[in-house]
Amino acid sequence: MYLLKMYRHFVIIYMKGKLAYHFSLVFELIANTIQIGIYFAGFLVIFHNFGNIAGWTQNEVLFMFTTSWLTYSLSCFFFWSPMKDMGELIRTGKFDLYLTRPLGPMLYMVLQQFQYTFIPRLVLSVIFWIYSMRSLSIEWTAGSLIFYAVNMVSSFVIFSAITIFTGTISIWTIKSEEIVSLLTNNNYGLKNYTDYPITIYGKGIGFLLTFVIPYAFTGYYPVGHLLGKSLAHPEYAYLSPFVALIAGVAAYLLWNYGLKHYNSAGA
């Protein structure tokens, strides 16, 4: 509760600063809304021409990738900007300031910003998520609801862990913005590959998205199981919590290891 109150306080301060240039903020939100709207429009055009992809109907794929987008957007509210800016903070020496705060550097970096640019993505994801879910005949039982909720939480952890990993390597590489974008940007990064069933890609991409950068566990496997799809490895649908645990612990250990071996810009 204390952290929530603190986060609200930081968000208010952050947004007051942004509202000083309110036209810029409004145009930025409009631009992001148009960008995401165009993405959904392109998605609908694909299914208008092809009907289904790898045996998945339009609403099935829509439900799968909006499920992934919801947790991705929530994760980005907290971790996208801090990890994207890590390289710049280290190059300029500003990261040293975070090490002197009474809060941990990660917590302070998360609290002092608010990625409002992800609001359009989150809102449109919710709209299409509800639309697709109402169009599907999913038998929602207590078990399926728990399964879905657990996998949503797991997806959030997986996305956050990958983002933290890409930002942490800036401690050694100094510049990692391109790596962050490559792995986590939903417009042109590797994350974009998980908006569709991974079976449409080659085995190499499928292996990469399952065992190296485990994005397939944020949507494809759990949602495929929920929809009753014929998965090559149906047991993978139950592995999302374990993958999230491994990814979360690995990101936590790497972050702490990086802090211990961090050399100040002035060193």
Side-chain angles (χ1 to χ4, degrees), residues 24 40 60-62 91-92 94 111 153 192-193 203 225:
S24 174
F40 277 107
E60 287 175 338
V61 177
L62 192 60
R91 285 196 301 275
T92 59
K94 292 180 179 179
L111 290 176
V153 174
N192 193 48
Y193 282 74
K203 291 183 178 180
H225 171 75

Side-chain angles (χ1 to χ4, degrees), residues 24-135:
S24 174
L25 184 146
V26 170
F27 288 141
E28 195 170 11
L29 289 174
I30 291 174
N32 276 274
T33 302
I34 293 174
Q35 182 184 46
I36 303 304
I38 290 174
Y39 185 90
F40 277 107
F43 171 86
L44 296 175
V45 168
I46 290 175
F47 277 93
H48 176 74
N49 288 284
F50 294 99
N52 70 82
I53 294 180
W56 290 60
T57 66
Q58 171 185 297
N59 289 328
E60 287 175 338
V61 177
L62 192 60
F63 180 62
M64 180 189 73
F65 91 68
T66 52
T67 293
S68 178
W69 272 34
L70 285 173
T71 51
Y72 169 77
S73 300
L74 290 173
S75 171
C76 289
F77 272 124
F78 300 104
F79 300 108
W80 165 257
S81 182
M83 295 299 100
K84 179 178 66 70
D85 296 338
M86 270 291 291
E88 180 67 19
L89 292 173
I90 291 173
R91 285 196 301 275
T92 59
K94 292 180 179 179
F95 185 67
D96 293 10
L97 298 176
Y98 293 96
L99 299 176
T100 64
R101 296 292 189 263
L103 300 174
M106 173 67 76
L107 180 59
Y108 191 81
M109 290 169 69
V110 169
L111 290 176
Q112 71 154 7
Q113 55 82 47
F114 177 66
Q115 276 304 295
Y116 60 90
T117 54
F118 282 91
I119 292 176
R121 185 186 301 271
L122 181 62
V123 171
L124 288 177
S125 295
V126 170
I127 292 172
F128 282 99
W129 176 70
I130 294 174
Y131 167 79
S132 63
M133 187 166 52
R134 293 180 63 181
S135 304

